[in-house]
Amino acid sequence: MIRPNALALALLANGALVACSGSDAASTFPAWQNTQVNVVSRVSTGAGVAATTSMRPDGTLETVALDLASGKKLWAYPATMAGRLPGMGVQTPATVETSAGHAVVAAVDPTKQGKWNATLSVRDAKTGQQKWARPVHSTFGPQRCGPYLCLSEHTALAGARMVVLDPQTGKMLWRLPGIAEVEWSDQNRVVVLRLAANPVLESYELKTGKAQWQLPIEQALGEGIDLSGGWAFGATGDKLVGYVAPYTNQRSKKTSTFGLFSVRLSDGMVDWMRPSVVRVYPSGNPAYAPVVRPVDQQGQYGGFARLDGESGRVLGQITATQVPGSGWWLAFPPRMDKLGFLQHNTPSAAYDLASGQKAEVKGLKAWSFCVTDPQPLKLAGNVTPGFYSIAALCEFDLATGKRVAGTGAPPSWFTGSQGGWRLWRDEKGALHAIKDEAATAPGMYG
């Protein structure tokens, strides 16, 4: 998946969806913060538990489980990454509900066993008691796939595969050769992205592993796909919206094919496509009102266009001539109805996305990255360098370009929502949560 690290930040852009931030009404909803953690991954939830990967002061990682209602830490165990690529970001523990009120949390522990570099440990979500374990050579990390657990295995070896496991026993139900990442699942189906020279989306029946449909990404966007630039997916209704980022080969100097496309979950047919556009940051999920910039064959960026995730239609845009010269960072208000060009500590410009007209910035608040020069994590041990923590958003007054002190929850287009709860990391790594009953939806990170 794409993570907005220094590479993504360099795109100077954003995408998003219409939503309320919860800032003004934060005091009326249950909320908490936990400053004992330094969150560096996304957060998964299930059965009243939130699980994330945190970095300790000594640079080691740990899997942390917190009570979703109170934010109280339930348990923590050492964690590691064994073969994960830096561009994918730090892996998130996988939380799988096994029955009403019960779930397990799966994470990669640093325990080595002979030829195995680490161990997949699956624990009771509330108590932390280990239920089963599986030795790991190299993996991109565990993922929930419906009621099961999916795991990429041997990713650094020729015999790479994805296995589907029973979350309560660890029994393997079926396997898929090659490297694959789960992009969507429900109780009966899973859609994976096969990470190959010619990447393919494929849908499988979860219980049996029976193939249902497949879609080569090149059928949607054209020849010349290279996933080295990153990718991201999100679902809206009965569609899966995908984004493949551009990648410039250092030897040939050629840029790979890129853009947005939508595929029907029922049969794998392409519903709409927007080739040669880049997703911009900070942003909402690609499936929710993405904001993009077109790029011409000479590599020149155009203006900004807001798209409808359902249809791919343009809902609003501003032209390239309206974009300020340089030194700005994108900023969006909670409703995503305006696009701001934040210039720190300086009066900034903003445009109405629906009309394309310049907007009044007096009294206009918008959210942008707290830090514009993020540094890679200083991880201990034999970990590939180049991992970044999940980014944090801060609120700014566009009339002055200054930070707004004491603001509440970032917009839901950024945080997403899981079962009525919205969770986010602040710039110091603390975890925050608010239960404002927002509809379940993916945020910027999925």
Side-chain angles (χ1 to χ4, degrees), residues 14-30:
N14 168 0
L17 89 175
V18 175
C20 296
S21 73
S23 300
D24 298 334
S27 60
T28 66
F29 296 112

Side-chain angles (χ1 to χ4, degrees), residues 160-223:
R161 64 184 187 177
M162 185 190 82
V163 294
V164 180
L165 308 170
D166 183 312
Q168 300 203 70
T169 65
K171 177 184 177 183
M172 185 172 70
L173 304 177
W174 53 277
R175 63 188 181 189
L176 194 62
I179 301 175
E181 181 180 80
V182 174
E183 305 303 349
W184 176 88
S185 67
D186 63 10
Q187 291 299 104
N188 303 304
R189 298 174 295 157
V190 60
V191 175
V192 302
L193 175 65
R194 302 287 295 274
L195 307 180
N198 301 107
V200 180
L201 277 177
E202 294 179 342
S203 176
Y204 292 89
E205 187 178 272
L206 264 174
K207 285 187 178 180
T208 65
K210 180 182 178 181
Q212 297 175 319
W213 56 258
Q214 67 170 213
L215 172 71
I217 303 299
E218 290 186 341
Q219 280 190 20
L221 293 176
E223 295 182 358

Side-chain angles (χ1 to χ4, degrees), residues 206-262:
L206 264 174
K207 285 187 178 180
T208 65
K210 180 182 178 181
Q212 297 175 319
W213 56 258
Q214 67 170 213
L215 172 71
I217 303 299
E218 290 186 341
Q219 280 190 20
L221 293 176
E223 295 182 358
I225 296 291
D226 188 330
L227 294 179
S228 301
W231 65 92
F233 285 85
T236 171
D238 62 347
K239 300 179 181 68
L240 184 68
V241 181
Y243 171 65
V244 177
Y247 176 74
T248 301
N249 186 291
Q250 296 302 308
R251 289 195 299 269
S252 67
K253 305 301 180 184
K254 290 185 178 179
T255 300
S256 62
T257 298
F258 59 96
L260 275 168
F261 66 97
S262 173

Side-chain angles (χ1 to χ4, degrees), residues 286-308:
Y288 287 80
V291 177
V292 299
R293 295 191 78 175
V295 184
D296 65 23
Q297 293 184 338
Q298 286 71 45
Q300 298 297 309
Y301 285 88
F304 291 85
R306 176 174 167 175
L307 307 180
D308 175 66

Side-chain angles (χ1 to χ4, degrees), residues 145-159:
C145 46
Y148 304 115
L149 185 66
C150 285
L151 179 72
S152 57
E153 290 189 320
H154 314 322
T155 52
L157 303 175

Side-chain angles (χ1 to χ4, degrees), residues 257-317:
T257 298
F258 59 96
L260 275 168
F261 66 97
S262 173
V263 55
R264 294 199 303 246
L265 288 166
S266 58
D267 56 15
M269 297 297 292
V270 176
D271 195 56
W272 59 262
M273 65 189 77
R274 285 280 178 180
S276 300
V277 297
V278 293
R279 179 190 178 198
V280 298
Y281 297 94
S283 68
N285 189 273
Y288 287 80
V291 177
V292 299
R293 295 191 78 175
V295 184
D296 65 23
Q297 293 184 338
Q298 286 71 45
Q300 298 297 309
Y301 285 88
F304 291 85
R306 176 174 167 175
L307 307 180
D308 175 66
E310 284 280 346
S311 66
R313 291 182 294 112
V314 174
L315 297 179
Q317 59 185 324

